Amino acid sequence: MTTTASTSAPVADARALGLAHYAARGLLEHVLARHGLTFQQHVTLRAAVTADAPRTPDELVAQVRSSLKADPAHIRATLDELLADHLLAMDGAHLRATESGRELIAAVGASTGPVTARVWGGIPAEDLAAAGRVLALVTDRANAELATLAD
């Protein structure tokens, strides 16, 4: 992380982004462990719970892969785990979150809410808006770079 000449505030860079990501993920994984979930299970189950409409397994794998950049085979194994734990269920050709799956995501949300409030609380709205714009741009650019690597 570098600093500017006019201020001692750190300048956003890849290292700062990584440190923030891993600190926040570490907090989340601590909470998830108390609920018996892995990070990938949580992302996958949450995607199913929050979907506007039921997704096919292929659609859910694609959605999670887009978010996590994870191997589709590992995501499919995660789907199998969630199905075996009765947190997801097949409904014809689609997956749907079970009541247990919805309750688990709600419980995780209730557990992370106070932590999230402490981490994000007090940050000025204009700083959050600026950070949001920068992070969206970095995400778009990184996704474009990944797409060129896949070609």
Side-chain angles (χ1 to χ4, degrees):
M1 208 166 10
T2 60
T3 58
T4 63
S6 63
T7 179
S8 62
V11 173
D13 61 12
R15 182 174 184 274
L17 174 62
L19 291 172
H21 164 77
Y22 284 113
R25 183 166 169 174
L27 286 170
L28 177 58
E29 286 182 342
H30 182 79
V31 171
L32 293 175
R34 291 194 319 240
H35 291 278
L37 282 176
T38 67
F39 181 74
Q40 190 159 300
Q41 288 171 332
H42 175 256
V43 170
T44 305
L45 182 57
R46 190 172 189 286
V49 167
T50 61
D52 292 335
R55 306 259 194 252
T56 65
D58 287 345
E59 291 168 338
L60 194 55
V61 166
Q63 181 179 352
V64 172
R65 184 168 191 230
S66 175
S67 295
L68 297 183
K69 313 306 184 240
D71 181 336
H74 293 154
I75 300 167
R76 288 191 185 282
T78 298
L79 289 179
D80 291 342
E81 294 164 1
L82 295 170
L83 286 162
D85 290 342
H86 306 288
L87 299 170
L88 290 178
M90 291 301 301
D91 187 6
H94 295 90
L95 289 163
R96 64 173 175 76
T98 63
E99 188 60 32
S100 295
R102 284 188 210 66
E103 288 172 0
L104 183 54
I105 289 299
V108 168
S111 295
T112 58
V115 175
T116 299
R118 288 190 299 274
V119 170
W120 290 90
I123 299 173
E126 61 273 8
D127 289 353
L128 292 173
R133 288 188 302 274
V134 170
L135 291 173
L137 181 59
V138 169
T139 300
D140 289 346
R141 288 177 177 181
N143 282 334
E145 288 294 322
L146 280 171
T148 65
L149 295 174
D151 292 339

